[in-house]
Amino acid sequence: MGKKLKWNLIVMSVLYLALGIFLLMVPGTALNVVCYALGGVVLLGAVIQLVRYFLVERGIFQSQLTLISGLVCLALGGFLILRSDIVVRILPIVFGLFVIFDSLGRVQNALELRRGYGSWKGFLLLALLSVVLGVVMIVDPFGAMETLVMAIGVILIIESALNLLSALYTMLAVRRFMKLHPETQ
C-alpha cells in the first residue's frame, strides 16, 4: 500500500508541475490547448467505446452501456472542441474541484495516520493548504483570464511540491510505524 500511495502522489505531482509550468509559460493559449486536448482524448474514448460496441462486445447489457457511453463521450468531445469558449470559462472551476477532491483524500490519510502515528498534524496541514488553494481556484478573485491562468499555474506548481512533500512524509510515517509495530506487516 505504501508504494502505491507514494507512486500515486509522485505521478500526480509531476502532472501538476507540468501543467503548472505550461500555464505559466503560455497563459493566453493554454486553456484552449487544454480544452482541445481534453476534447481529443474524450473523442478517442468515444471511438474506442463505439468500436467495442459494433465490433467486439456481444453481451446485450454490456453492449447497451458501451453504446451509451460511446455516444456521450462523442457528444462531450465534440462540445469540448467546438465550444471551447464556454469550457474555458468553467475549466478553472473543474481544476479547483479536482485539487480539492485530491486534497480531501490526503486529509483522510492524515486522519488515518492519527491513530497510529503521533506526528500526523504536518501531513494534515499540507492537505488543508491544498484544499484552500483549490478553493482559491474556484472563487476566481482575479480580473483577467490570463492572470487567472497564471495563478492556476502557480497553484498547480505549489500543489506539486505539496504532493511530493506528502509522499515523503507518508513514506517516513509508514516506515516509522512499521518499525514500532512490526506485527502489523
Side-chain angles (χ1 to χ4, degrees):
M1 180 192 140
K3 285 186 179 186
K4 184 178 179 183
L5 177 63
K6 178 180 80 169
W7 284 111
N8 285 344
L9 288 172
I10 290 172
V11 167
M12 192 61 65
S13 297
V14 169
L15 291 175
Y16 281 164
L17 181 63
L19 184 58
I21 290 171
F22 176 69
L23 293 176
L24 273 175
M25 299 301 285
V26 285
T29 59
L31 285 177
N32 282 325
V33 170
V34 168
C35 202
Y36 294 141
L38 273 165
V41 168
V42 172
L43 284 176
L44 179 64
V47 168
I48 290 170
Q49 293 290 51
L50 293 173
V51 166
R52 282 179 56 199
Y53 174 75
F54 288 111
L55 300 177
V56 178
E57 290 187 359
R58 297 292 173 227
I60 293 172
F61 187 67
Q62 280 183 321
S63 295
Q64 289 173 348
L65 290 178
T66 305
L67 176 63
I68 291 169
S69 66
L71 292 174
V72 167
C73 286
L74 185 66
L76 180 61
F79 182 76
L80 285 168
I81 291 173
L82 297 175
R83 294 306 313 255
S84 64
D85 57 326
I86 293 173
V87 177
V88 163
R89 282 182 261 160
I90 63 168
L91 204 53
I93 296 169
V94 172
F95 280 126
L97 288 172
F98 185 75
V99 167
I100 288 171
F101 290 133
D102 180 49
S103 303
L104 289 176
R106 285 186 287 140
V107 167
Q108 179 182 350
N109 290 341
L111 294 175
E112 288 173 6
L113 280 175
R114 176 183 62 183
R115 294 184 198 122
Y117 186 70
S119 181
W120 57 276
K121 292 176 184 171
F123 188 58
L124 179 64
L125 287 175
L126 291 175
L128 291 174
L129 177 60
S130 294
V131 171
V132 170
L133 293 174
V135 169
V136 167
M137 290 171 70
I138 291 173
V139 171
D140 187 11
F142 311 101
M145 185 57 88
E146 280 193 18
T147 305
L148 177 61
V149 171
M150 292 174 73
I152 291 170
V154 169
I155 289 170
L156 289 174
I157 290 169
I158 292 169
E159 178 69 13
S160 170
L162 291 174
N163 266 348
L164 287 173
L165 286 172
S166 293
L168 177 64
Y169 190 85
T170 300
M171 290 310 299
L172 292 174
V174 168
R175 283 183 188 157
R176 194 172 295 152
F177 182 78
M178 291 300 186
K179 284 181 183 178
L180 292 174
H181 304 286
E183 71 277 359
T184 60
Q185 295 180 12

